[in-house]
mmCIF file of all heavy atoms in Angstrom:
data_model
loop_
_atom_site.group_PDB
_atom_site.id
_atom_site.type_symbol
_atom_site.label_atom_id
_atom_site.label_comp_id
_atom_site.label_asym_id
_atom_site.label_seq_id
_atom_site.Cartn_x
_atom_site.Cartn_y
_atom_site.Cartn_z
ATOM 1 N N SER N 285 150.065 161.048 1.403
ATOM 2 C CA SER N 285 151.169 160.849 2.300
ATOM 3 C C SER N 285 152.484 160.763 1.518
ATOM 4 O O SER N 285 152.496 160.219 0.420
ATOM 5 C CB SER N 285 150.910 159.625 3.185
ATOM 6 O OG SER N 285 150.729 158.505 2.392
ATOM 7 N N PHE N 286 153.496 161.284 2.113
ATOM 8 C CA PHE N 286 154.855 161.250 1.446
ATOM 9 C C PHE N 286 155.869 160.915 2.524
ATOM 10 O O PHE N 286 155.802 161.379 3.727
ATOM 11 C CB PHE N 286 155.126 162.636 0.867
ATOM 12 C CG PHE N 286 156.573 162.793 0.485
ATOM 13 C CD1 PHE N 286 156.952 162.293 -0.738
ATOM 14 C CD2 PHE N 286 157.493 163.307 1.328
ATOM 15 C CE1 PHE N 286 158.335 162.381 -1.158
ATOM 16 C CE2 PHE N 286 158.891 163.365 0.968
ATOM 17 C CZ PHE N 286 159.282 162.930 -0.195
ATOM 18 N N MET N 287 156.817 160.110 2.181
ATOM 19 C CA MET N 287 158.003 159.928 3.096
ATOM 20 C C MET N 287 159.243 159.886 2.285
ATOM 21 O O MET N 287 159.319 159.237 1.182
ATOM 22 C CB MET N 287 157.918 158.567 3.766
ATOM 23 C CG MET N 287 159.048 158.384 4.823
ATOM 24 S SD MET N 287 159.115 156.711 5.560
ATOM 25 C CE MET N 287 159.717 155.815 4.130
ATOM 26 N N GLY N 288 160.263 160.690 2.599
ATOM 27 C CA GLY N 288 161.526 160.676 1.991
ATOM 28 C C GLY N 288 162.659 160.386 3.026
ATOM 29 O O GLY N 288 162.500 160.820 4.153
ATOM 30 N N GLU N 289 163.654 159.700 2.566
ATOM 31 C CA GLU N 289 164.724 159.363 3.481
ATOM 32 C C GLU N 289 166.151 159.327 2.732
ATOM 33 O O GLU N 289 166.120 158.923 1.559
ATOM 34 C CB GLU N 289 164.649 157.944 4.018
ATOM 35 C CG GLU N 289 163.416 157.554 4.795
ATOM 36 C CD GLU N 289 163.466 156.065 5.067
ATOM 37 O OE1 GLU N 289 163.246 155.304 4.140
ATOM 38 O OE2 GLU N 289 163.783 155.704 6.207
ATOM 39 N N TYR N 290 167.120 159.760 3.367
ATOM 40 C CA TYR N 290 168.474 159.594 2.851
ATOM 41 C C TYR N 290 169.323 158.964 4.020
ATOM 42 O O TYR N 290 169.131 159.242 5.196
ATOM 43 C CB TYR N 290 169.056 161.031 2.592
ATOM 44 C CG TYR N 290 170.506 160.958 2.360
ATOM 45 C CD1 TYR N 290 170.988 160.552 1.095
ATOM 46 C CD2 TYR N 290 171.472 161.392 3.311
ATOM 47 C CE1 TYR N 290 172.353 160.476 0.856
ATOM 48 C CE2 TYR N 290 172.836 161.287 3.047
ATOM 49 C CZ TYR N 290 173.279 160.848 1.815
ATOM 50 O OH TYR N 290 174.610 160.734 1.563
ATOM 51 N N ALA N 291 170.206 158.049 3.634
ATOM 52 C CA ALA N 291 170.991 157.367 4.612
ATOM 53 C C ALA N 291 172.441 157.322 4.115
ATOM 54 O O ALA N 291 172.726 157.271 2.928
ATOM 55 C CB ALA N 291 170.503 155.924 4.825
ATOM 56 N N ASN N 292 173.338 157.294 5.106
ATOM 57 C CA ASN N 292 174.782 157.294 4.743
ATOM 58 C C ASN N 292 175.545 156.631 5.824
ATOM 59 O O ASN N 292 175.333 156.900 7.038
ATOM 60 C CB ASN N 292 175.239 158.795 4.645
ATOM 61 C CG ASN N 292 176.650 158.863 4.048
ATOM 62 O OD1 ASN N 292 177.572 158.282 4.622
ATOM 63 N ND2 ASN N 292 176.775 159.643 2.975
ATOM 64 N N ARG N 293 176.448 155.684 5.440
ATOM 65 C CA ARG N 293 177.286 155.041 6.385
ATOM 66 C C ARG N 293 178.736 155.078 6.048
ATOM 67 O O ARG N 293 179.077 154.821 4.891
ATOM 68 C CB ARG N 293 176.878 153.521 6.531
ATOM 69 C CG ARG N 293 177.719 152.775 7.538
ATOM 70 C CD ARG N 293 177.388 151.271 7.571
ATOM 71 N NE ARG N 293 176.070 151.009 7.950
ATOM 72 C CZ ARG N 293 175.177 150.389 7.222
ATOM 73 N NH1 ARG N 293 175.489 149.796 6.025
ATOM 74 N NH2 ARG N 293 173.939 150.220 7.646
ATOM 75 N N ILE N 294 179.572 155.509 6.944
ATOM 76 C CA ILE N 294 181.000 155.447 6.766
ATOM 77 C C ILE N 294 181.644 154.845 8.039
ATOM 78 O O ILE N 294 181.028 154.738 9.079
ATOM 79 C CB ILE N 294 181.596 156.951 6.594
ATOM 80 C CG1 ILE N 294 181.259 157.789 7.784
ATOM 81 C CG2 ILE N 294 181.114 157.523 5.253
ATOM 82 C CD1 ILE N 294 181.996 159.178 7.721
ATOM 83 N N SER N 295 182.944 154.495 7.895
ATOM 84 C CA SER N 295 183.621 153.859 9.016
ATOM 85 C C SER N 295 185.051 154.290 9.058
ATOM 86 O O SER N 295 185.545 154.878 8.128
ATOM 87 C CB SER N 295 183.494 152.326 8.912
ATOM 88 O OG SER N 295 184.286 151.896 7.794
ATOM 89 N N GLY N 296 185.632 153.993 10.215
ATOM 90 C CA GLY N 296 187.067 154.380 10.370
ATOM 91 C C GLY N 296 187.972 153.672 9.350
ATOM 92 O O GLY N 296 188.622 154.336 8.584
ATOM 93 N N ASP N 297 187.871 152.366 9.242
ATOM 94 C CA ASP N 297 188.559 151.601 8.256
ATOM 95 C C ASP N 297 187.718 150.471 7.886
ATOM 96 O O ASP N 297 187.528 149.551 8.685
ATOM 97 C CB ASP N 297 189.920 151.121 8.778
ATOM 98 C CG ASP N 297 190.661 150.232 7.715
ATOM 99 O OD1 ASP N 297 190.077 150.023 6.608
ATOM 100 O OD2 ASP N 297 191.781 149.898 7.984
ATOM 101 N N PRO N 298 187.069 150.580 6.694
ATOM 102 C CA PRO N 298 186.049 149.523 6.376
ATOM 103 C C PRO N 298 186.606 148.165 6.021
ATOM 104 O O PRO N 298 185.809 147.207 5.845
ATOM 105 C CB PRO N 298 185.355 150.150 5.106
ATOM 106 C CG PRO N 298 186.373 151.024 4.504
ATOM 107 C CD PRO N 298 187.188 151.598 5.660
ATOM 108 N N LEU N 299 187.908 148.001 5.845
ATOM 109 C CA LEU N 299 188.499 146.764 5.378
ATOM 110 C C LEU N 299 189.024 146.005 6.629
ATOM 111 O O LEU N 299 190.001 146.353 7.225
ATOM 112 C CB LEU N 299 189.615 147.063 4.376
ATOM 113 C CG LEU N 299 189.213 147.894 3.232
ATOM 114 C CD1 LEU N 299 190.475 148.115 2.268
ATOM 115 C CD2 LEU N 299 188.075 147.313 2.379
ATOM 116 N N ALA N 300 188.195 144.961 6.952
ATOM 117 C CA ALA N 300 188.581 144.180 8.146
ATOM 118 C C ALA N 300 189.599 143.130 7.813
ATOM 119 O O ALA N 300 189.360 142.229 7.026
ATOM 120 C CB ALA N 300 187.259 143.500 8.668
ATOM 121 N N ARG N 301 190.743 143.242 8.435
ATOM 122 C CA ARG N 301 191.805 142.266 8.175
ATOM 123 C C ARG N 301 192.677 142.218 9.450
ATOM 124 O O ARG N 301 192.680 143.181 10.234
ATOM 125 C CB ARG N 301 192.630 142.624 6.982
ATOM 126 C CG ARG N 301 193.068 144.013 6.890
ATOM 127 C CD ARG N 301 193.713 144.396 5.494
ATOM 128 N NE ARG N 301 193.629 145.838 5.233
ATOM 129 C CZ ARG N 301 193.816 146.345 4.026
ATOM 130 N NH1 ARG N 301 194.235 145.564 3.006
ATOM 131 N NH2 ARG N 301 193.781 147.607 3.918
ATOM 132 N N VAL N 302 193.431 141.177 9.606
ATOM 133 C CA VAL N 302 194.383 141.011 10.647
ATOM 134 C C VAL N 302 195.482 142.083 10.444
ATOM 135 O O VAL N 302 195.967 142.226 9.300
ATOM 136 C CB VAL N 302 194.984 139.582 10.678
ATOM 137 C CG1 VAL N 302 196.036 139.427 11.669
ATOM 138 C CG2 VAL N 302 193.877 138.550 10.879
ATOM 139 N N PRO N 303 195.794 142.803 11.534
ATOM 140 C CA PRO N 303 196.851 143.786 11.383
ATOM 141 C C PRO N 303 198.109 143.267 10.729
ATOM 142 O O PRO N 303 198.584 142.177 11.069
ATOM 143 C CB PRO N 303 197.156 144.231 12.829
ATOM 144 C CG PRO N 303 195.933 143.911 13.540
ATOM 145 C CD PRO N 303 195.387 142.699 12.928
ATOM 146 N N GLY N 304 198.613 143.941 9.669
ATOM 147 C CA GLY N 304 199.797 143.455 8.993
ATOM 148 C C GLY N 304 199.517 142.514 7.855
ATOM 149 O O GLY N 304 200.393 142.223 7.010
ATOM 150 N N GLU N 305 198.298 141.984 7.776
ATOM 151 C CA GLU N 305 197.966 141.089 6.739
ATOM 152 C C GLU N 305 197.233 141.823 5.597
ATOM 153 O O GLU N 305 196.568 142.865 5.864
ATOM 154 C CB GLU N 305 197.039 139.977 7.218
ATOM 155 C CG GLU N 305 197.546 139.128 8.356
ATOM 156 C CD GLU N 305 198.421 138.000 7.845
ATOM 157 O OE1 GLU N 305 198.183 137.542 6.728
ATOM 158 O OE2 GLU N 305 199.331 137.602 8.585
ATOM 159 N N SER N 306 197.312 141.302 4.313
ATOM 160 C CA SER N 306 196.633 141.963 3.301
ATOM 161 C C SER N 306 195.248 141.434 3.029
ATOM 162 O O SER N 306 194.431 142.055 2.367
ATOM 163 C CB SER N 306 197.515 141.901 1.966
ATOM 164 O OG SER N 306 197.632 140.545 1.656
ATOM 165 N N ASN N 307 195.039 140.248 3.431
ATOM 166 C CA ASN N 307 193.744 139.526 3.165
ATOM 167 C C ASN N 307 192.562 140.215 3.817
ATOM 168 O O ASN N 307 192.501 140.140 5.041
ATOM 169 C CB ASN N 307 193.835 138.047 3.544
ATOM 170 C CG ASN N 307 192.545 137.350 3.339
ATOM 171 O OD1 ASN N 307 191.861 137.561 2.394
ATOM 172 N ND2 ASN N 307 192.282 136.472 4.274
ATOM 173 N N VAL N 308 191.727 140.818 3.077
ATOM 174 C CA VAL N 308 190.462 141.537 3.609
ATOM 175 C C VAL N 308 189.454 140.444 3.854
ATOM 176 O O VAL N 308 188.978 139.754 2.966
ATOM 177 C CB VAL N 308 189.991 142.555 2.701
ATOM 178 C CG1 VAL N 308 188.713 143.133 3.259
ATOM 179 C CG2 VAL N 308 190.995 143.724 2.565
ATOM 180 N N GLU N 309 189.003 140.260 5.107
ATOM 181 C CA GLU N 309 188.084 139.191 5.470
ATOM 182 C C GLU N 309 186.617 139.677 5.430
ATOM 183 O O GLU N 309 185.724 138.910 5.110
ATOM 184 C CB GLU N 309 188.440 138.604 6.808
ATOM 185 C CG GLU N 309 189.841 138.034 6.784
ATOM 186 C CD GLU N 309 190.225 137.348 8.084
ATOM 187 O OE1 GLU N 309 189.427 136.619 8.656
ATOM 188 O OE2 GLU N 309 191.278 137.672 8.639
ATOM 189 N N TYR N 310 186.399 140.906 5.848
ATOM 190 C CA TYR N 310 185.003 141.463 5.791
ATOM 191 C C TYR N 310 185.196 142.926 5.371
ATOM 192 O O TYR N 310 186.255 143.550 5.523
ATOM 193 C CB TYR N 310 184.413 141.455 7.256
ATOM 194 C CG TYR N 310 184.172 140.068 7.770
ATOM 195 C CD1 TYR N 310 185.221 139.530 8.558
ATOM 196 C CD2 TYR N 310 183.027 139.408 7.538
ATOM 197 C CE1 TYR N 310 185.005 138.256 9.055
ATOM 198 C CE2 TYR N 310 182.844 138.130 8.049
ATOM 199 C CZ TYR N 310 183.879 137.504 8.807
ATOM 200 O OH TYR N 310 183.674 136.307 9.291
ATOM 201 N N ILE N 311 184.053 143.447 4.916
ATOM 202 C CA ILE N 311 184.049 144.855 4.486
ATOM 203 C C ILE N 311 182.791 145.534 5.117
ATOM 204 O O ILE N 311 181.697 145.018 4.950
ATOM 205 C CB ILE N 311 184.050 145.027 2.936
ATOM 206 C CG1 ILE N 311 185.255 144.312 2.342
ATOM 207 C CG2 ILE N 311 183.955 146.491 2.498
ATOM 208 C CD1 ILE N 311 185.254 144.269 0.807
ATOM 209 N N VAL N 312 183.083 146.627 5.724
ATOM 210 C CA VAL N 312 181.915 147.357 6.292
ATOM 211 C C VAL N 312 181.064 147.913 5.091
ATOM 212 O O VAL N 312 181.669 148.443 4.132
ATOM 213 C CB VAL N 312 182.424 148.604 7.212
ATOM 214 C CG1 VAL N 312 181.236 149.432 7.621
ATOM 215 C CG2 VAL N 312 183.192 148.038 8.394
ATOM 216 N N LEU N 313 179.779 147.743 5.146
ATOM 217 C CA LEU N 313 178.948 148.125 4.001
ATOM 218 C C LEU N 313 178.710 149.637 3.981
ATOM 219 O O LEU N 313 177.626 150.131 4.332
ATOM 220 C CB LEU N 313 177.537 147.413 4.093
ATOM 221 C CG LEU N 313 176.741 147.438 2.833
ATOM 222 C CD1 LEU N 313 177.448 146.681 1.714
ATOM 223 C CD2 LEU N 313 175.386 146.857 3.095
ATOM 224 N N GLU N 314 179.795 150.329 3.485
ATOM 225 C CA GLU N 314 179.679 151.803 3.376
ATOM 226 C C GLU N 314 178.918 152.186 2.082
ATOM 227 O O GLU N 314 178.965 151.444 1.118
ATOM 228 C CB GLU N 314 181.126 152.430 3.321
ATOM 229 C CG GLU N 314 181.806 152.384 4.590
ATOM 230 C CD GLU N 314 183.084 153.300 4.590
ATOM 231 O OE1 GLU N 314 183.208 154.036 3.699
ATOM 232 O OE2 GLU N 314 183.796 153.296 5.576
ATOM 233 N N GLY N 315 178.260 153.311 2.220
ATOM 234 C CA GLY N 315 177.502 153.786 1.054
ATOM 235 C C GLY N 315 176.422 154.755 1.453
ATOM 236 O O GLY N 315 176.373 155.189 2.635
ATOM 237 N N GLU N 316 175.571 155.044 0.463
ATOM 238 C CA GLU N 316 174.408 155.937 0.838
ATOM 239 C C GLU N 316 173.223 155.416 0.071
ATOM 240 O O GLU N 316 173.256 154.660 -0.854
ATOM 241 C CB GLU N 316 174.754 157.376 0.469
ATOM 242 C CG GLU N 316 175.059 157.497 -1.083
ATOM 243 C CD GLU N 316 175.378 158.965 -1.407
ATOM 244 O OE1 GLU N 316 175.407 159.829 -0.541
ATOM 245 O OE2 GLU N 316 175.536 159.252 -2.626
ATOM 246 N N ALA N 317 172.067 155.854 0.586
ATOM 247 C CA ALA N 317 170.814 155.369 0.036
ATOM 248 C C ALA N 317 169.750 156.469 0.084
ATOM 249 O O ALA N 317 169.881 157.377 0.924
ATOM 250 C CB ALA N 317 170.341 154.080 0.790
#
Side-chain angles (χ1 to χ4, degrees):
Chain N
S285 54
F286 168 86
M287 184 188 73
E289 297 174 289
Y290 169 78
N292 189 304
R293 180 185 297 123
I294 57 171
S295 68
D297 179 353
L299 305 179
R301 47 191 159 190
V302 174
E305 300 278 330
S306 61
N307 177 37
V308 175
E309 302 181 46
Y310 298 90
I311 300 174
V312 174
L313 195 65
E314 288 197 8
E316 59 179 3

